[in-house]
Amino acid sequence: MSAAILLAAVLAAGAASPEPPRERVDTSWVEPSGRSIRVPAGGDLQEAIDRAVPGDEIVLAAGGHYTGPFRLRRRDGPGWVLIRTDALDRLPPPGGRATPAHARWMARLGAASGPIVSADPGAGGYRLAGLEIAPSPGTFVHDVVQLGGHPESEQDLPRYIVIDRCWLHGDPARGSRRGVALNGAHLAVIGSTLTDFKEVGADSQAVAGWGGPGPFRIANNDLQAAGENILFGGADPRIRGLVPSDIEIVGNRLSKPLAWKEGDPAFDGTAWTVKNLLELKNARRVIIEGNLLERNWAHAQNGFAILLTVRNQDGSAPWSTIEDVLLARNVVRRSGGGVNILGRDDAAPSGRARRISIRNNLFQEIGGGAYGGAGILFQLLRGTADLVIEDNTAVQSGSLIMAEGEPHDRFVFRGNIAPHNDLGAVGTGTSTGAQTLGRYFPGCEMRGNVLPGGPARLYPPGNHFPRDLESVRFVDLRGHRLRLRAGSPFQGTGPGGRDPGADLDTLCAALSTADRPPDCGPDHGSASR
C-alpha cells in the first residue's frame, strides 16, 4: 500500500454533522377542561365526535364495541378532544406502553372497510387513548387509521393528533396493509402496539408517511409489519417540494414474528411479503434512537434491517432526499444484513443522501443461515456525502463494507469493532482494503477500529487486527454479551483514548426496559464504563 494512499485514507475532509429536528411533537398529557361525553357500548360515537369541541372528552365503555368507520372533524380554536376508554386507569400511565394484554380495558373501534378512523382535511386537536382499533373479523383493509391520505395543500393537512396507548391490528388471518398513515403535521404514535400488518404480494407497514411535512413522533411502541415496520417516502407527495421532516423514532421495538418465516417451526403457512424493519426514502432531520430492531430475513428483499435509500418513487418528486439522519444507541439483531444506504435514486432524478451519522449501535447475529442474506454490515451505494460510522459493535457473517457506484465524499469509519471476515471493505470491481478505499472512499478517515481477522497491510495505520473475535476478549461472545472484558488489549485504543465499539451503558439507558438485550442486564460484566 503506497504512502499516498495511506495518507489519503487517514485524513478526513471534515464530515458535516446532521442537523437535529427543528420542531418536535409535544405529546404531554393534557387533562380535559370541558364536557365529558359518555357513549355506551354500541352507541353513536360519530355523533359524539361531531358535537365535541376542544376541551371535551369522549368516554367509551371498556370492552364495548363501536362500529364505524369514524371521521375526526375539523375544529376551530386551540385545545384537544380526548377520545378514551373509561378504564384508562387500568392501562399503563402516560409514557408507558399498552399491549394486547390490556385489550379488555380498551374500547374497540371496528369497521368492515377502511380506513376505520380517518381525519377530515385540516382536522386536528385529537388524542386517542386506550382504544383497540381493528377491522371486522375476516376483513382486509388498507389503512386502519388514516391521518391524511394524499394532501394537496397545507390547508388539507391533519394536525395535532396523538395515538396514545392503543392497540391497532390487522385481521390475524388476512392481515391489513397499514396501521397508521402519517400525512400531516404534529402527529404522533406513542406507547402503542401495532400487529398483523401484513400482505402477500404488496408492501405493508405499521406506520408510514409520505405526504406530510411533520414533525412526527413515533415513540415507545411495539411495531410489527411484514413489509416495512416504519416507512417514510414510498409515494410522491402532492405538495411540491415536500420532504417529511423533523422525525423522531425513539424507544420502539420493531420486529417480525417468526410465524411469518417459512422454514421456522412457528411458521403459520402464509409467506407474507417481508422486506425490512425501517426504511427512509424521502426524509429530513431524523433521529432514530434507542430502538430494538430484530428478526428480518431475506424474502422480497435481500434481508437488510435498515434501508436509507433515496427514492423519487413515482418519478414526480425529483427533490426527494435523505439528509440529516442520526442512527444512534440502537440494537439491530437477527437479520440478513445491517444497513443499506443509497446515495441517489438509480431509477429517477433525486437529491443526494448526506449528513448521516451511525454511531453507538450494537449489531448482533447479522447474516448466517437462520436469516438468509449475505450478512453485509454496511452496503453503501451511489455516492453519499458526510456519512460517519463510528463507535459501533457488530458481529456479522459477511463483508464489513460493500460499495458500488459513485464515490462517497467525506466518509468516516472510526472506533468500530466488527469482524473483517473474508472480504472486509470491498467494492464492485475492486479488491479488499486499499483499492476499495481509494476508488469508493477517497480522502476518507478510517482509524481506531478493531477488525478481527483482517490483513493490516491493506488498511490505513491506526487500526487493529487481532487474529479473531475471541481475541477481542468480550464478556461472553457466544452469549452475545459484547462488552470488552476487563483486561482486553483494546481498552482505550479507540479515537481519543476511549474504548472502541458501542458504549453499552448509554445504549442500554436509551432502550425501553422491556427491549433490553443481555448486555443490559444487572450482571453485565462492564469493566471500564
Side-chain angles (χ1 to χ4, degrees):
M1 187 175 186
S2 72
I5 293 177
L6 284 173
L7 182 62
V10 79
L11 295 178
S17 299
E19 180 185 352
R22 296 176 184 173
E23 290 187 277
R24 297 178 189 253
V25 181
D26 184 358
T27 59
S28 302
W29 182 262
V30 177
E31 289 291 339
S33 59
R35 299 171 298 170
S36 184
I37 304 170
R38 292 189 170 269
V39 183
D44 192 341
L45 172 57
Q46 186 62 59
E47 187 273 338
I49 294 172
D50 291 347
R51 64 187 177 95
V53 298
D56 289 350
E57 64 173 354
I58 300 172
V59 183
L60 309 179
H65 287 232
Y66 299 82
T67 301
F70 305 99
R71 294 190 66 85
L72 306 178
R73 302 304 190 187
R74 183 168 185 162
R75 296 280 182 261
D76 294 325
W80 295 84
V81 172
L82 172 63
I83 305 174
R84 69 169 179 89
T85 173
D86 64 5
L88 196 59
D89 59 342
R90 306 301 295 266
L91 271 63
R97 182 189 297 174
T99 74
H102 298 104
R104 63 178 174 156
W105 307 114
M106 298 177 175
R108 189 180 197 278
L109 279 56
S113 62
I116 296 165
V117 177
S118 61
D120 283 348
Y126 289 90
R127 190 182 196 109
L128 282 58
L131 307 179
E132 177 186 354
I133 310 176
S136 302
T139 301
F140 176 92
V141 302
H142 281 78
D143 292 327
V144 169
V145 175
Q146 186 184 83
L147 304 181
H150 296 274
E152 299 194 7
S153 70
E154 293 284 338
Q155 291 72 34
D156 291 342
L157 297 172
R159 302 172 184 272
Y160 298 98
I161 300 175
V162 177
I163 297 172
D164 177 11
R165 290 168 290 160
C166 292
W167 177 30
L168 279 61
H169 60 92
D171 182 77
R174 299 195 60 192
S176 286
R177 179 166 294 177
R178 187 174 300 113
V180 184
L182 290 181
N183 293 308
H186 292 273
L187 306 179
V189 181
I190 60 173
S192 296
T193 296
L194 283 71
T195 58
D196 280 317
F197 294 102
K198 55 195 183 185
E199 193 170 354
V200 175
D203 285 13
S204 53
Q205 304 93 29
V207 178
W210 58 89
F216 305 103
R217 182 171 175 81
I218 304 168
N220 191 30
N221 304 289
D222 186 345
L223 305 176
Q224 300 176 24
E228 304 89 3
N229 296 48
I230 297 177
L231 171 67
F232 280 93
D236 290 354
R238 294 183 180 175
I239 299 174
R240 185 165 183 79
L242 186 142
V243 176
S245 302
D246 304 318
I247 302 167
E248 295 180 284
I249 301 171
V250 295
N252 304 283
R253 180 174 186 251
L254 283 65
S255 67
K256 303 185 192 299
L258 292 175
W260 301 350
K261 186 177 185 296
E262 290 184 276
D264 192 273
F267 182 53
D268 68 4
T270 302
W272 308 103
T273 297
V274 166
K275 287 196 170 181
N276 59 70
L277 295 168
L278 189 157
E279 183 167 11
L280 304 181
K281 294 186 175 187
N282 184 26
R284 175 183 289 138
R285 297 188 298 276
V286 185
I287 291 178
I288 304 165
E289 186 171 18
N291 303 284
L292 171 62
L293 302 98
E294 66 174 352
R295 295 201 299 266
N296 186 72
W297 50 91
H299 184 239
Q301 281 182 344
N302 51 14
F304 281 94
I306 299 171
L307 274 67
L308 309 178
T309 49
V310 178
R311 293 291 183 196
N312 173 6
Q313 189 74 32
D314 306 313
S316 63
W319 58 83
S320 298
T321 186
I322 295 171
E323 57 188 22
D324 299 306
V325 177
L326 173 63
L327 179 70
R329 300 199 294 173
N330 302 284
V331 175
V332 183
R333 65 185 183 185
R334 300 168 188 162
S335 186
V339 182
N340 179 31
I341 302 179
L342 179 68
R344 293 181 175 88
D345 194 341
D346 51 12
S350 76
R352 187 182 193 186
R354 58 184 180 170
R355 296 190 300 275
I356 298 171
S357 178
I358 301 173
R359 69 170 186 257
N360 200 20
N361 301 285
L362 180 62
F363 295 87
Q364 300 173 302
E365 301 176 75
I366 302 299
Y371 296 96
I376 298 168
L377 187 56
F378 299 108
Q379 181 162 280
L380 309 177
L381 311 174
R382 296 212 65 192
T384 64
D386 300 301
L387 170 60
V388 177
I389 301 174
E390 62 181 344
D391 299 334
N392 301 285
T393 297
V395 177
Q396 87 285 354
S397 66
S399 300
L400 181 70
I401 296 171
M402 175 65 199
E404 185 174 275
E406 298 91 330
H408 300 262
D409 296 333
R410 297 176 297 280
F411 175 67
V412 176
F413 190 86
R414 65 187 172 212
N416 303 287
I417 303 176
H420 183 275
N421 296 324
D422 290 340
L423 297 176
V426 70
T428 298
T430 56
S431 59
T432 294
Q435 192 179 54
T436 293
L437 297 178
R439 163 68 178 84
Y440 291 105
F441 307 102
C444 72
E445 175 184 348
M446 187 175 189
R447 63 184 176 90
N449 302 290
V450 179
L451 309 176
R457 70 184 187 282
L458 297 180
Y459 290 91
N463 296 289
H464 308 277
F465 298 90
R467 182 179 67 255
D468 52 29
L469 273 170
E470 294 284 354
S471 302
V472 177
R473 296 191 64 187
F474 292 116
V475 167
D476 181 3
L477 177 61
R478 296 182 186 276
H480 310 293
R481 296 168 68 190
L482 302 182
R483 295 173 182 265
L484 293 182
R485 185 191 299 270
S488 166
F490 301 104
Q491 287 181 296
T493 64
R498 63 182 182 270
D499 287 359
D503 180 344
L504 292 172
D505 288 335
T506 61
L507 189 157
C508 291
L511 295 169
S512 167
T513 303
D515 299 332
R516 292 177 180 173
D519 263 314
C520 297
D523 181 25
H524 51 58
S526 176
S528 60
R529 289 193 270 219

